[in-house]
Amino acid sequence: MTTKNYTASDLEWMSKALQLAKKAGEAGEVPVGAVLVKDGVCVGEGWNQPIGCSDPTAHAEINAIRAAAESLKNYRLPGTTLYVTIEPCTMCIGAILHARVGRLVYGAEEPRAGAVVSQLKLPECSHYNHRLDVVGGVMADRCGSLISDFFRAKRGGSQSTCS
């Protein structure tokens, strides 16, 4: 279930995820950042790196989950909250559910490939044996602008001047 209820702590962690998203953008990657938190402490963070790592699975969420699993020495991450600047895709929701992340907080919706509310609504599927608490829209304007500005700059820089 998705709600618009979030806390001051959610804003703080989303700000950290935004910093990581900017790091991705500066590296030429789609600017998405993620932070995984347990008991008020960051246990994993990540940003998009599929180009730099030559790895199509190196999304911000996956990188944060991998870092947290290593940090906690556990492939299951119950009692954690994942903060991500954009609504996760199908692959990332699958990883979030399999890792047993307890709560997902995301910024902007991703109307084309979002798998939380925009397209597939995977957390609502009853065949999964894990339930995910979802909060969407946290700092959505800032998160969305970061993505929009990135792609606007990419399009602007690659337009042909030939007639």
Side-chain angles (χ1 to χ4, degrees), residues 68-117:
E70 176 69 23
S71 171
L72 297 173
K73 303 293 184 218
N74 195 342
Y75 76 112
R76 299 286 196 216
L77 304 170
T80 60
T81 298
L82 178 66
Y83 295 89
V84 62
T85 56
I86 196 88
E87 177 185 359
C89 70
T90 305
M91 174 184 69
C92 292
I93 281 297
I96 291 164
L97 290 169
H98 285 288
R100 305 297 194 261
V101 170
R103 184 169 177 253
L104 168 67
V105 179
Y106 69 89
E109 291 182 3
E110 212 298 41
R112 295 179 65 187
V116 177
V117 296

Side-chain angles (χ1 to χ4, degrees), residues 24 37 43-44 51 59 69 74 84 89 98 120 128 151 161:
V37 176
V43 293
I51 299 167
H59 288 197
N74 195 342
V84 62
C89 70
H98 285 288
L120 297 177
Y128 293 116
F151 283 112
T161 57

Side-chain angles (χ1 to χ4, degrees), residues 13-55:
W13 289 113
M14 188 61 74
S15 292
K16 174 64 174 165
L18 272 165
Q19 291 171 2
L20 295 168
K22 289 175 184 172
K23 185 174 183 174
E26 290 166 0
E29 305 274 4
V30 176
V32 179
V35 179
L36 200 65
V37 176
K38 183 174 179 75
D39 299 326
V41 175
C42 176
V43 293
E45 59 183 41
W47 56 93
N48 270 5
Q49 298 181 60
I51 299 167
C53 291
S54 299
D55 179 357

Side-chain angles (χ1 to χ4, degrees), residues 120-163:
L120 297 177
K121 300 177 174 93
L122 291 178
E124 295 178 16
C125 291
S126 61
H127 63 273
Y128 293 116
N129 63 355
H130 176 65
R131 295 290 154 245
L132 179 65
D133 182 26
V134 178
V135 177
V138 176
M139 299 176 76
D141 290 342
R142 287 182 60 195
C143 294
S145 292
L146 192 60
I147 296 276
S148 298
D149 293 349
F150 174 81
F151 283 112
R152 189 176 304 110
K154 278 234 180 256
R155 284 190 304 272
S158 63
Q159 291 177 341
S160 174
T161 57
C162 298
S163 46

